[in-house]
Amino acid sequence: KNEVEQSPQNLTAQEGEFITINCSYSVGISALHWLQQHPGGGIVSLFMLSSGKKKHGRLIATINIQEKHSSLHITASHPRDSAVYICAVTTGNQFYFGTGTSLTVIP
Amino acid sequence: GAVVSQHPSWVICKSGTSVKIECRSLDFQATTMFWYRQFPKQSLMLMATSNEGSKATYEQGVEKDKFLINHASLTLSTLTVTSAHPEDSSFYICSAIAGGYQETQYFGPGTRLLVL
């Protein structure tokens, strides 16, 4: 069993839709990261959070430490949001990665 | 934001040769750099953690004699794939942090390696 599970694995949405990607983990963590990987391979760190909620533009990330669960929300989705979104957690000296959610936003 | 570069961005080599990949933090001092590999349609797999001036820590199953890592300065880490084989063909990505593991990771653009 993976330490980090993401769902869904693949997601197709119409432009403008509200999107949610979920991440559950089984280890005690000091921080959770949401990463975005574009088709060319480049990776950008979107959020790093250890509690509560963070917002950046149309992206919102939440985490519930007690439930060991995090969600990444995209409001008013756009084709340029099409990418693979990866959830990663750190225990302080170890990283664990989810398998990623491939998002396609159709115009 | 902080910038991490990788060189080369892609490389094709013959089986048996060695390939060196550089990872540089351009505008900050990276206390720790990480090396990942990624196969198509799969997530990142951490290979090793590299701290400046000390030996790299390799993940289980990663051959340290095959994947040589050197972190000679606070802005440069290198990964050398020795005696490359076709199964080493992959996408290699580095990332860097300026502080502890709770800091934001800054990723390089990746290096695509194809071993013929």
Side-chain angles (χ1 to χ4, degrees):
Chain A
K1 186 180 183 302
N2 292 334
E3 287 82 0
V4 180
E5 300 277 358
Q6 278 184 244
S7 63
Q9 279 191 306
N10 297 284
L11 181 57
T12 301
Q14 289 291 135
E15 183 173 358
E17 284 186 8
F18 181 83
I19 289 163
T20 297
I21 300 170
N22 296 299
C23 175
S24 296
Y25 52 91
S26 59
V27 293
I29 69 168
S30 55
L32 182 143
H33 305 254
W34 280 103
L35 311 174
Q36 180 191 55
Q37 184 173 31
H38 278 281
I43 297 174
V44 173
S45 178
L46 298 175
F47 294 104
M48 181 184 64
L49 62 167
S50 54
S51 65
K53 174 180 173 179
K54 286 190 176 180
K55 183 176 189 293
H56 181 70
R58 294 179 296 105
L59 303 177
I60 303 166
T62 63
I63 187 168
N64 185 316
I65 296 294
Q66 286 73 31
E67 295 185 4
K68 296 189 173 180
H69 181 269
S70 175
S71 293
L72 176 68
H73 305 286
I74 305 176
T75 61
S77 59
H78 191 276
R80 64 175 175 267
D81 297 326
S82 298
V84 174
Y85 292 83
I86 301 169
C87 172
V89 301
T90 176
T91 62
N93 61 359
Q94 188 78 24
F95 280 104
Y96 298 96
F97 292 84
T99 53
T101 295
S102 178
L103 171 65
T104 303
V105 181
I106 300 170
Chain B
V3 178
V4 173
S5 70
Q6 275 184 248
H7 177 81
S9 55
W10 59 270
V11 58
I12 302 172
C13 69
K14 291 183 179 179
S15 185
T17 60
S18 294
V19 175
K20 181 187 281 189
I21 303 170
E22 292 186 350
C23 178
R24 292 181 185 271
S25 57
L26 298 184
D27 52 1
F28 68 101
Q29 292 187 325
T31 52
T32 304
M33 288 185 170
F34 303 92
W35 286 97
Y36 302 88
R37 67 187 299 184
Q38 185 179 38
F39 292 106
K41 304 287 186 186
Q42 295 188 25
S43 192
L44 298 171
M45 185 193 85
L46 180 64
M47 298 175 68
T49 302
S50 165
N51 293 293
E52 185 263 341
S54 62
K55 289 184 179 179
T57 302
Y58 289 81
E59 296 299 303
Q60 196 172 11
V62 178
E63 298 175 61
K64 61 182 180 182
D65 294 329
K66 180 165 184 65
F67 298 99
L68 300 178
I69 291 171
N70 183 277
H71 194 157
S73 76
L74 284 170
T75 59
L76 173 65
S77 177
T78 60
L79 167 68
T80 301
V81 183
T82 61
S83 188
H85 285 271
E87 57 264 30
D88 298 325
S89 299
S90 190
F91 187 52
Y92 292 88
I93 307 168
C94 73
S95 71
I97 56 177
Y101 276 55
Q102 287 186 274
E103 300 294 320
T104 296
Q105 282 192 66
Y106 298 98
F107 288 84
T111 296
R112 295 195 183 279
L113 171 63
L114 177 62
V115 184
L116 302 176

